[in-house]
Amino acid sequence: MTSRTSSYLSDRLNSLSIELDSFPISDKALKNGGNISKSLSLLVKDHSLQTATKALNNINVEKGESELEWLLLARVTLVLYDNIVASLLNHAVELNSLSNFWERTLESRFKSYNYLLQTLPNRAFNYAKNSHPSIHSLFPYSQVGLSLNLRTLTFEPLNLLKFELQSHIDEIGILKDDIANSVGLLASFNGLKDGFGPDNKGNTGRSLGGDLNNWIKHIKSVLNTLTKDDQVKVNEATSFRAILDNLKTLVENVIPSHTASITRRVEVHKRPSTLTRCWPKLLIGPPVLLVIARLVLRSQDAVKAYLRDIGETARGFVQSWIVEPATHIINTIRFGGRGLGVTEAGLESDIASLERMVKDLGKENLKLSDAQLLELGNNVRKGDLSTVLQVYENEMKTPFKSALFGQLVRALLIQIQKVKCDVDTTMTKLDALLKSQELTFGFVGVAPSLAIVYFVGSWFSRFLGLIVGKKEISLKRRVELFECIRRIDILLVPSLGSPLPEKTLGHLLLSTSIMRRCSLEIYNKRLRRGLVDDLNALEVPQGDVMDKRAIVERMWRSWGGALDWNKAVSNAR
């Protein structure tokens, strides 16, 4: 029929509608039922009460009845059933939102005083127009017998306000219980399971008129239970005229009366109007804006300088902490790192010079052969200067004589060259290390600025997403999902029998309906489809309690992390 109700009820009503399409209709009825066929076609496309009313008014009883007329009555019955369930679920969703509003107001001292300030003109007006003013004129839900005096208004306004807010919450809870009981009665109706006409075994003892009469009586009974009104009676007969009159009674009297009664009960607990909530801001806002405008005009130069500093700071941040480090990283990737500027050629020339100096010393002073000089050169390249050190040790025995006439100065110069080669070797290795880690240093340097840009960009993208209407589940919706699944977990007490009691089933369907609407904000389609599948499994009235508890446990495991329920609850505190 429609997707406005819970999935189970929607699927079951769709199945019954398809079953009605398979009912046998004679050729004579098809030939003479032009208006009825149009009404049936309209009901398939439009499931509103207005269309159902027009369809009933198109039936001409004087022409007699046919299979098409009976089929139209059955389809109108399904439309009425669907609209009633959808209306109850819509009211339940609205009541849940109102309950959250009053609870948040009650829990916050600031919000409580703000609400008292917002509603103060209305309270004063009610007090002034009352011929016998009392504390109830200011606080309609205040305790009976409380006297109106200065002490009460001075020391107990918050207590009176808390009592008023708690009364809203309690009465909304009572109304939600009534709606849940009605939804549970509608969902557990045997007619949904049995359908119309002959049963699954082919028994034709049940008539379509009798089935429709049972549906009508059940609908009226549920609505009477909810509105406590039993003035309208239903004809017990199963004839075509009686069923038609009963449906007209439902459409014209029972359903409008029920809708008006529920709407009145909901209106009492609605949040204050937009004007009531905004009048303090409208009153205080213009003077504050005027003062700010005057201050800005008086200090234009300072404001301009401040804005100029902000612009230069932002420009300097982007240029010095993002553009230049990023450019350096790109150049490092393309051309390699700069390192310390030490070259392999310079190191090789220093080592060659040291080798020549040692060979000359060995050739002139130690009279080494060519083979020994070659071996000495190889030792020098390995860092072994034991030959030079032996010469140095011998010369140090007579330092003054060796300094003037010996090889002491020459040995010292060779060691200085050795130190220079060791330093160049160390610098070369350090240069290679720096070149290999230059990208790491570059990314470490640019990381803080990239983090700042990321957080600012994320905030801006979320803000832009709110403007363009991007569907990203909000913190509020995640908290609602958490509260609903927790409520369902509490409802499914293992000691309950199967099937669930009507009131418990109704509360379960109300919670799943709220979760289904919240799931529309989940951007990931696969994630949303998985959550909806679990909700569909929970809504089946005939399901075993333990099976439903297993589904709830799976939902805790599957969606608690995916939807960040724990994080949402901690942030909402």
Side-chain angles (χ1 to χ4, degrees):
M1 292 288 293
T2 177
S3 59
R4 294 176 300 169
T5 61
S6 70
S7 177
Y8 167 77
L9 293 175
S10 177
D11 293 343
R12 189 59 195 137
L13 292 174
N14 279 327
S15 300
L16 294 177
S17 179
I18 295 173
E19 289 179 9
L20 290 177
D21 293 337
S22 63
F23 269 37
I25 301 175
S26 63
D27 295 336
K28 180 180 178 181
L30 290 174
K31 183 178 180 181
N32 299 328
N35 292 333
I36 303 300
S37 298
K38 291 181 181 179
S39 298
L40 286 170
S41 301
L42 287 176
L43 283 175
V44 172
K45 300 176 182 178
D46 185 7
H47 307 129
S48 64
L49 289 176
Q50 293 78 5
T51 306
T53 304
K54 291 180 182 179
L56 292 177
N57 293 331
N58 286 336
I59 298 177
N60 189 352
V61 183
E62 303 300 331
K63 293 183 178 180
E65 61 187 74
S66 67
E67 294 88 344
L68 278 178
E69 278 80 2
W70 279 105
L71 184 59
L72 180 61
L73 294 184
R75 196 173 289 280
V76 168
T77 303
L78 293 179
V79 170
L80 297 183
Y81 203 91
D82 175 73
N83 276 272
I84 292 170
V85 176
S87 175
L88 291 175
L89 292 178
N90 288 334
H91 283 307
V93 173
E94 183 180 7
L95 288 172
N96 185 74
S97 176
L98 293 176
S99 179
N100 292 336
F101 170 77
W102 295 117
E103 287 176 358
R104 290 194 300 269
T105 306
L106 178 62
E107 292 168 355
S108 171
R109 182 180 292 268
F110 171 77
K111 290 182 179 179
S112 298
Y113 277 118
N114 187 42
Y115 170 71
L116 180 60
L117 175 64
Q118 292 170 349
T119 57
L120 194 58
N122 291 335
R123 297 176 191 274
F125 177 76
N126 293 333
Y127 179 79
K129 75 175 184 179
N130 199 327
S131 57
H132 301 285
S134 65
I135 192 66
H136 300 283
S137 304
L138 295 176
F139 298 93
Y141 292 90
S142 58
Q143 299 94 327
V144 177
L146 192 64
S147 60
L148 177 61
N149 53 47
L150 183 60
R151 183 181 183 279
T152 301
L153 294 178
T154 305
F155 297 101
E156 299 185 9
L158 187 59
N159 293 334
L160 295 173
L161 184 63
K162 285 183 177 180
F163 189 84
E164 177 181 331
L165 297 175
Q166 188 61 52
S167 299
H168 278 295
I169 297 172
D170 294 341
E171 292 187 11
I172 287 175
I174 294 173
L175 182 53
K176 286 175 66 177
D177 286 341
D178 293 341
I179 292 178
N181 186 59
S182 300
V183 172
L185 289 171
L186 292 171
S188 59
F189 177 48
N190 290 330
L192 283 173
K193 179 178 64 175
D194 299 335
F196 298 107
D199 57 22
N200 296 331
K201 298 180 180 179
N203 299 325
T204 58
R206 292 164 43 212
S207 65
L208 186 58
D211 290 338
L212 292 178
N213 197 32
N214 290 334
W215 279 69
I216 294 170
K217 289 192 294 185
H218 184 70
I219 292 174
K220 183 179 179 299
S221 173
V222 171
L223 297 183
N224 290 341
T225 302
L226 183 59
T227 58
K228 308 298 188 296
D229 183 12
D230 197 15
Q231 297 180 358
V232 181
K233 302 298 180 181
V234 174
N235 194 334
E236 297 291 338
T238 59
S239 63
F240 180 82
R241 182 182 292 272
I243 300 298
L244 178 61
D245 292 339
N246 287 338
L247 287 175
K248 287 184 177 180
T249 301
L250 285 179
V251 172
E252 297 173 1
N253 297 323
V254 178
I255 294 180
S257 174
H258 151 265
T259 303
S261 175
I262 296 296
T263 302
R264 284 194 300 270
R265 294 178 67 181
V266 174
E267 287 287 340
V268 175
H269 307 291
K270 280 198 170 182
R271 56 173 60 88
S273 65
T274 303
L275 180 60
T276 302
R277 296 197 305 270
C278 294
W279 77 262
K281 299 177 183 178
L282 296 176
L283 183 64
I284 300 174
V288 172
L289 291 177
L290 181 61
V291 171
I292 294 175
R294 288 180 177 177
L295 292 176
V296 171
L297 291 175
R298 288 177 183 175
S299 55
Q300 292 186 29
D301 295 336
V303 173
K304 290 180 180 178
Y306 181 71
L307 295 176
R308 193 182 309 111
D309 291 342
I310 292 176
E312 291 177 356
T313 302
R315 246 188 332 268
F317 172 78
V318 173
Q319 181 66 29
S320 302
W321 292 90
I322 298 178
V323 176
E324 290 181 0
T327 303
H328 176 67
I329 291 173
I330 294 173
N331 291 335
T332 301
I333 295 174
R334 292 181 60 189
F335 307 112
R338 291 174 295 179
L340 299 176
V342 181
T343 61
E344 293 287 342
L347 176 61
E348 181 62 30
S349 64
D350 289 341
I351 294 175
S353 175
L354 176 62
E355 183 180 357
R356 288 194 298 271
M357 293 170 66
V358 173
K359 283 184 176 181
D360 289 342
L361 177 65
K363 182 178 180 180
E364 297 173 2
N365 188 30
L366 301 178
K367 308 300 180 179
L368 299 178
S369 63
D370 291 341
Q372 290 175 329
L373 291 176
L374 181 61
E375 183 181 359
L376 180 61
N378 293 335
N379 291 336
V380 169
R381 287 191 171 274
K382 295 177 181 179
D384 182 10
L385 292 182
S386 57
T387 303
V388 177
L389 292 177
Q390 289 175 2
V391 174
Y392 175 74
E393 291 170 359
N394 293 330
E395 295 292 329
M396 284 297 295
K397 293 177 181 180
T398 54
F400 294 105
K401 178 181 177 182
S402 299
L404 294 175
F405 305 106
Q407 304 296 325
L408 180 60
V409 175
R410 191 174 186 181
L412 286 174
L413 292 175
I414 291 174
Q415 291 189 65
I416 291 173
Q417 181 66 16
K418 174 66 169 61
V419 171
K420 185 175 183 296
C421 291
D422 290 342
V423 171
D424 286 347
T425 302
T426 304
M427 294 295 290
T428 302
K429 293 181 179 179
L430 182 60
D431 181 72
L433 178 63
L434 290 176
K435 286 182 178 179
S436 65
Q437 298 298 320
E438 192 162 357
L439 278 179
T440 302
F441 296 147
F443 281 113
V444 170
V446 80
S449 56
L450 291 180
I452 294 174
V453 172
Y454 171 77
F455 286 117
V456 173
S458 299
W459 176 85
F460 184 75
S461 64
R462 286 195 298 269
F463 178 74
L464 185 63
L466 293 176
I467 295 177
V468 302
K470 179 182 177 181
K471 287 188 175 181
E472 182 176 353
I473 188 165
S474 61
L475 174 65
K476 177 182 176 182
R477 296 306 180 198
R478 290 202 299 269
V479 172
E480 286 188 21
L481 287 170
F482 171 82
E483 291 175 345
C484 287
I485 193 62
R486 181 178 178 275
R487 195 178 304 128
I488 293 173
D489 202 355
I490 295 173
L491 288 172
L492 298 176
V493 181
S495 59
L496 288 176
S498 298
L500 293 173
E502 286 81 5
K503 189 174 182 179
T504 304
L505 175 61
H507 275 294
L508 187 146
L509 293 177
L510 297 188
S511 297
T512 56
S513 179
I514 295 172
M515 294 184 71
R516 193 181 303 278
R517 298 196 181 204
C518 292
S519 67
L520 296 177
E521 292 191 9
I522 299 178
Y523 188 67
N524 190 315
K525 294 182 179 180
R526 295 181 62 184
L527 193 65
R528 181 171 68 245
R529 185 168 58 250
L531 178 60
V532 171
D533 289 342
D534 285 339
L535 294 178
N536 295 343
L538 274 178
E539 290 176 343
V540 180
Q542 294 80 16
D544 185 73
V545 174
M546 300 309 297
D547 292 340
K548 292 181 183 294
R549 286 194 60 82
I551 295 172
V552 172
E553 291 176 1
R554 182 177 71 232
M555 294 179 71
W556 279 114
R557 293 193 307 269
S558 302
W559 312 117
L563 298 178
D564 289 333
W565 283 343
N566 296 331
K567 181 179 178 182
V569 174
S570 62
N571 291 338
R573 289 175 182 172

